[in-house]
C-alpha cells in the first residue's frame, strides 16, 4: 500500500464541496445483501401492496425467478450507500435525472454502488455549492441494476478552494425505447384478481387525474426506521438535538421515504402498474416533517408503447406528493407550477399490462 | 374478456353498503408469501415469546416441519387481505364468529383469501348498515388454513339502494370435536424448560382468573407498522388529517393488533398454550388509541377434552383486553357485562399439553 | 414427574431477591432461531453499517461461512432470554463483567441460554438487594457463543428471608490472550473500499479520542421495538401507565439498545473494527428516555497484539454514550470519573485488521 491510509479513507466528518473534483469516483462502502427481512420491513414501513413483490408463486407465474424487490426499496438502499460519501454534509437534495431501473433485483442479491462526480458549482454565498454525481448500483454479478444522476447542495469548509465550475449536461427524459423489459416477462398471464383491478394500459389516457384515496401520517419512528434500513446516515433525519439549530428546528423526513409512501398509496388506482422503469426528473419541493399526512395525486402525461411488446406498455406519470391536504382539493397544476402543499413532484414511467385482444 | 374492465375492478374509493349483495364473492388481491421477515417483525411488534414460533429445532422436535407461524400473525395477514374489499369504508368492526384455525402455516407459504357476503342489513339511519361475510384463507396448495365470519358496519353512498335484508345464522361456538389437531403433533415431547412453566391443561379450572402482569403502551408508529405489515389499508388507522373529522379526532388502533398484544402479554401465566384453535365470538368493546396502555385478564371458562387425544387438551378462555387499568383492579364481569376499561372481549380456545401419567 | 408442577414453573409475577440462592441454575425459556428478519430489523433499529454483517459475498471472502450476526444483536437476544427469570423485578441493571464473545453466530442458528446465581446481597433498606449471575448462551450444537457476568438490583417480597450474603469474585478484564479469533478468518483479504476506510489497528494509539459525528434521537417506538425483538419483557421499558409511579414517571430505554446505537454511531471513525471480542466492564451511568439524543465518544485505552496473529489485533476502548450534548463539548474524563451527560461507560475490546507490510 503505497498511498497513505488517510487518503484512502472517508473523513470522519464526511466530504465537503471542495472534495468533489469532477471525475472523482467514490466506491461506496457497505455492500448489502437484500433479504426477506428487508422486504417485510418495506411492507411494514410503506404499506406496499403490489402482489408481484410479495407472492412468490405469482412472481414465478409471470416469468420472474422469484419476487422482484420493490423498485423503490432498491432505489432507497442504493441511494443510501451514496449518502456517507456524497451527501453527509448536504444542505438540500436538489433533483434527480436519468434514473434507470435496468434489471430486477431479488432477495439474496448483493448491491454495491459507486458514484462519479460530473459537475460542481460554488454558490454565490461562498458557503456551499452544488455537486452533480452519476451513480450506479450493481448486483453481485457486476450487472448494473440501477443508475441515476443527482444533484445536491453541499456545505463548504470555511476558506476552502472549490474546483472550477463544471455544469454537466442533464437529460430531461429517458427514452421509452430504452426501458428495460425482461424478455421472459409474461405479465399478461397475471389474473386481475391478484391486483383487484382490470384497469390496464389501454384504460388510462394523457390528462387523466387520479387522486388516490389513502393518506399516511408520518411519525418520527417511521421515517427513521426506514432511513436506517437504507443505511442512509444523513444527520438531518436523525438528530433532534442538532436540528434545534437548523431553520426548521426539527428533523426532516428522508425524501425517498416520501416517494415510497406515495408509490404505496397509489396502488389504489394504479393497481397494475407493476414496475417503475425510469424517473425522468424529480424534485423534493418542500420538506416533510413527522406529523404530516401524505397524500398522492397522479397525472397521466403520456401512454408509451414499447418496442416489440404488445403485452406491456408504459405510462408516463406525474406523481405529486401532497401534505395535509386532500388531493381532491388541489388545483390542476401547470407543468412547472408549484403549490405549497406539494412536497414531491416526480416525472416517471411505470410498466403496465396491455389488454390482450382475443 | 367479454365483461367491461370496470366491473372487474375494485372501485378506487372502495365498496359501499349497496355493493354487498348476498352471495357475492370477493377474491381478495395481494396474495402473500409469509417470510422469516414477517415472523421477526411480529415478535418486534408484539413481544411474543412462545418458543414454538421462534425455535426451529423445538418445532421439529414436537412434529412440525418448521416453526408454525403465530396464529394471530396469520389471522391479521388474512384479515388484512379482506379490508380493501370488505371494510375500506367500514364505520366499525362489529364482531367475529366461527373462526377456525384449520392448519398450521409456515414461512414460505403463500396465503390467498376470499369472502362471500352472507348477510346485509341497512340501519334505520339510512346512512350505513351491517355487512356479514364469511372469509376463507388458503395456502398455495389450496388447503384452507383459516376461516371466519365477521360483521362490520359499512357506509352507504347517498341515495343508493340497499339489497333486501338478510340476517345470516351465526354460530355461537366452534365445537371442540371440530378443533384441528395435527396427528403428527407430539407436544408432550416438549420440555417445560422451553416455556419456563410446567403448568398444563390439568392445572387450570373453569373460573380461574389470570391477571397477566405485563402492560404494553401503544405508540402510533407501533400500530401503524403492524397494520401496514398486514397490508390492511383501512384509513382510520393511518390518516391523522382525515381523523380530525371523526368522533374521536384521532387515529384508531387496529383491533387485531390489540388481540396480538393481549395474546403476547398472556404468555406469563399461559406459557404452554401453544396454539389458538378457534374464536367462538369476539367484540372490540371500545376503541384503543396511541398512548393507551394495554393489559390482559384471562378467565378460564371450560376445560375441553379432545377426541382421541390424551396428550393435548383445550382451554376455553375469555380474553379481556383492558386499557389504562391494572387488571387486578378490574371487577369480576358477568358473561355479557361491559366495563369502560375493557376494549376487547374474546371467547376463544387454545391448545395446551396435558400431564402424562407415567 | 415427581416434583409438583409449580416448583418447575416461573412465578407469573417473576422471581424476587429471596429466590436467588447461590448456585441455583435457570434454564431460560424461549430458545430462538435467529433469522434474516432479525438482522434486517437490527439494521433498521440501529443504522448499523458494518459490511460483514450485511454482505454475504464479503463475509465469505474473509473466511466466514455466511454473515456473522452483529455481536450486540446476539448479546441483546441472549440477554433478553435471561430477563424473565433474572430481572423481571429488577430495580436497576448495575454492571457487567467478563463478557466474552466466544464464537460467531449466523442466521439459522438457535440460541438457548442459562444462568447460575453466583452471589446475592440484601441492601440495608431491606427492600431489595443485588443478585449476581453468570450467564451462558449456546448455539444448537451446544457450543458456547457468549458468556457474561452481570449484577442487578432486584426487589424483595415484603418480609421474605434473603439467602446469606455471597459476594462473588469478579474479573476486571478479559485477557487479550483469551480473545476468540477464528483460525479461518482472513480479514486482511477485505478491501478498504467495503468500509470506506483504510484506518487500521496501526493507526490508533492509546489516548486517541474519537468523537463520532452522528447523533440518534430515540423514540418510544424505537426502543420498544428493539426490546421486544429481543423478547426482553422488563416492564420498565413498556408500561407507561405503571411508570407513572416510578421516580422518573416514564418508561426507560433498555440499556442494550443504547449500547447498540453507540456501536452503530461509531462506525464513522472505527470503520474497520469488525467484531466485539470482550466487554471487560460496563455500567449504565444514567437512564435514557425517549426524546433523548445519543452521541458516542471512544477513547482508545490500549492496542492489544494477539497471539499467533499478525493480521488482526485488538483495540481496547472506552465507549462513552453521551446524551443531549455534542461529544466534542464533553471534557476529558478520568478513569472512574462521571459526567451528567454520560449514560453509558463501557470498557471493551474490538478486533481490527493490522496493516500488512509487503
Amino acid at each position: 500500500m503505497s498511498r497513505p491510509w488517510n487518503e484512502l479513507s472517508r473523513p470522519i466528518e464526511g466530504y465537503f464541496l471542495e472534495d468533489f473534483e469532477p471525475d472523482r469516483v467514490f466506491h461506496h462502502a457497505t455492500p448489502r445483501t437484500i433479504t426477506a427481512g428487508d422486504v417485510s420491513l418495506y411492507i411494514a414501513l410503506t404499506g406496499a401492496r403490489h402482489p408481484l413483490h410479495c407472492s412468490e408463486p405469482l412472481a414465478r407465474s409471470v416469468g420472474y425467478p422469484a419476487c422482484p424487490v420493490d423498485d423503490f426499496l432498491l432505489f432507497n438502499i442504493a441511494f443510501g450507500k451514496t449518502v456517507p460519501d456524497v451527501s453527509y454534509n448536504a444542505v438540500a437534495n436538489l433533483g434527480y435525472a436519468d434514473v434507470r431501473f435496468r434489471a430486477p433485483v431479488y432477495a439474496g442479491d448483493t448491491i454495491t454502488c459507486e458514484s462519479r462526480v460530473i459537475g460542481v458549482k460554488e454558490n454565490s454565498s461562498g458557503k456551499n455549492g452544488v455537486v452533480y454525481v452519476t451513480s450506479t448500483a450493481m448486483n453481485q454479478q457486476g450487472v448494473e441494476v440501477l443508475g441515476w444522476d443527482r444533484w445536491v447542495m453541499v456545505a463548504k469548509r470555511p476558506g476552502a478552494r472549490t474546483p472550477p465550475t463544471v455544469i454537466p449536461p442533464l437529460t430531461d427524459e429517458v427514452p421509452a425505447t430504452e426501458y428495460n423489459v425482461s424478455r421472459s416477462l409474461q405479465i399478461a398471464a397475471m389474473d386481475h384478481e391478484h391486483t383487484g383491478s382490470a384497469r390496464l394500459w389501454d384504460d388510462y389516457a394523457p390528462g387523466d387525474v387520479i387522486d388516490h384515496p389513502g393518506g399516511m401520517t408520518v411519525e418520527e419512528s417511521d421515517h427513521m426506521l426506514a432511513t436506517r434500513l437504507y443505511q442512509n446516515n444523513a444527520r438531518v433525519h436523525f438528530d433532534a438535538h442538532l436540528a434545534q439549530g437548523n431553520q426548521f428546528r426539527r428533523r426532516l423526513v428522508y425524501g425517498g421515504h416520501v416517494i415510497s409512501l406515495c408509490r404505496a398509496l397509489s396502488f389504489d388506482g394504479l393497481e397494475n402498474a407493476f414496475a417503475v422503469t425510469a424517473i425522468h426528473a424529480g424534485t423534493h419541493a418542500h420538506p416533510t416533517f413527522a406529523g404530516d399526512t401524505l397524500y398522492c395525486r397522479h397525472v397521466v402525461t403520456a401512454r408509451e408503447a414499447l418496442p416489440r411488446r404488445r403485452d406491456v406498455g408504459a405510462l408516463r406519470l406525474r406523481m405529486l406528493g401532497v401534505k395535509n391536504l386532500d388531493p381532491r382539493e388541489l388545483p390542476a397544476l401547470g407543468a412547472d407550477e408549484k403549490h405549497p402543499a406539494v412536497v414531491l413532484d416526480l416525472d416517471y414511467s411505470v410498466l403496465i399490462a396491455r389488454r390482450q385482444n382475443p
Side-chain angles (χ1 to χ4, degrees), chain A residues 66-86:
Chain A
C67 284
V69 161
D70 191 291
D71 302 292
F72 285 120
L73 172 55
L74 171 65
F75 178 82
N76 283 320
I77 285 180
F79 186 99
K81 305 255 140 288
T82 72
V83 167
D85 292 320
V86 174

Side-chain angles (χ1 to χ4, degrees), chain A residues 249-302:
Chain A
R249 305 184 65 80
R250 46 191 164 157
R251 287 163 280 178
L252 271 66
V253 173
Y254 163 51
H257 187 54
V258 174
I259 297 176
S260 288
L261 290 175
C262 288
R263 169 78 173 144
L265 290 170
S266 72
F267 183 71
D268 293 305
L270 286 166
E271 296 87 348
N272 288 301
F274 67 92
V276 177
T277 184
I279 303 173
H280 307 287
T283 55
H284 296 289
H286 290 98
T288 299
F289 304 106
D292 285 342
T293 300
L294 290 169
Y295 299 93
C296 182
R297 166 180 288 180
H298 271 97
V299 183
V300 180
T301 56

Side-chain angles (χ1 to χ4, degrees), chain A residues 44-266:
Chain A
L45 289 162
T46 65
R49 287 155 52 217
H50 200 289
L52 269 191
H53 304 308
C54 62
S55 170
E56 293 287 337
L58 181 63
R60 287 194 293 269
S61 74
V62 299
Y64 292 101
C67 284
V69 161
D70 191 291
D71 302 292
F72 285 120
L73 172 55
L74 171 65
F75 178 82
N76 283 320
I77 285 180
F79 186 99
K81 305 255 140 288
T82 72
V83 167
D85 292 320
V86 174
S87 47
Y88 191 64
N89 293 304
V91 179
N93 211 351
L94 299 173
Y96 310 103
D98 206 30
V99 184
R100 294 166 187 246
F101 293 83
R102 292 183 181 278
V105 165
Y106 307 95
D109 284 352
T110 300
I111 303 303
T112 54
C113 197
E114 61 183 48
S115 298
R116 189 166 54 85
V117 180
I118 56 172
V120 63
K121 179 181 177 299
E122 186 173 327
N123 285 339
S124 56
S125 71
K127 292 182 180 170
N128 50 47
V130 180
V131 172
Y132 301 80
V133 295
T134 188
S135 298
T136 307
M138 286 144 294
N139 68 14
Q140 67 280 6
Q141 283 138 357
V143 174
E144 183 176 339
V145 293
L146 177 64
W148 72 98
D149 296 347
R150 150 188 193 220
W151 50 109
V152 59
M153 195 184 303
V154 174
K156 203 181 112 176
R157 289 189 191 86
R161 186 192 303 184
T162 309
T165 293
V166 174
I167 308 278
L170 291 167
T171 65
D172 58 4
E173 67 173 5
V174 178
T177 52
E178 298 179 13
Y179 295 165
N180 172 70
V181 184
S182 164
R183 284 196 190 186
S184 59
L185 177 72
Q186 297 181 293
I187 197 68
M190 186 161 85
D191 196 292
H192 68 81
E193 285 176 5
H194 298 306
T195 62
S197 167
R199 284 180 283 269
L200 300 180
W201 185 81
D202 315 72
D203 305 310
Y204 297 89
D208 283 358
V209 173
I210 308 165
D211 289 318
H212 305 286
M216 185 59 66
T217 304
V218 182
E219 303 293 323
E220 297 282 14
S221 277
D222 292 333
H223 76 84
M224 292 199 300
L225 279 167
T227 311
R228 287 187 300 242
L229 178 66
Y230 310 139
Q231 298 176 311
N232 174 334
N233 69 333
R235 280 177 285 193
V236 72
H237 308 309
F238 299 113
D239 185 338
H241 181 72
L242 180 70
Q244 287 168 9
N246 74 26
Q247 66 180 117
F248 306 110
R249 305 184 65 80
R250 46 191 164 157
R251 287 163 280 178
L252 271 66
V253 173
Y254 163 51
H257 187 54
V258 174
I259 297 176
S260 288
L261 290 175
C262 288
R263 169 78 173 144
L265 290 170
S266 72

Side-chain angles (χ1 to χ4, degrees), chain A residues 340-357:
Chain A
V342 172
V343 295
L344 172 70
D345 195 339
L346 212 63
D347 172 11
Y348 76 121
S349 289
V350 294
L351 298 179
I352 182 167
R354 295 177 62 167
R355 184 150 299 122
Q356 302 299 296
N357 295 316

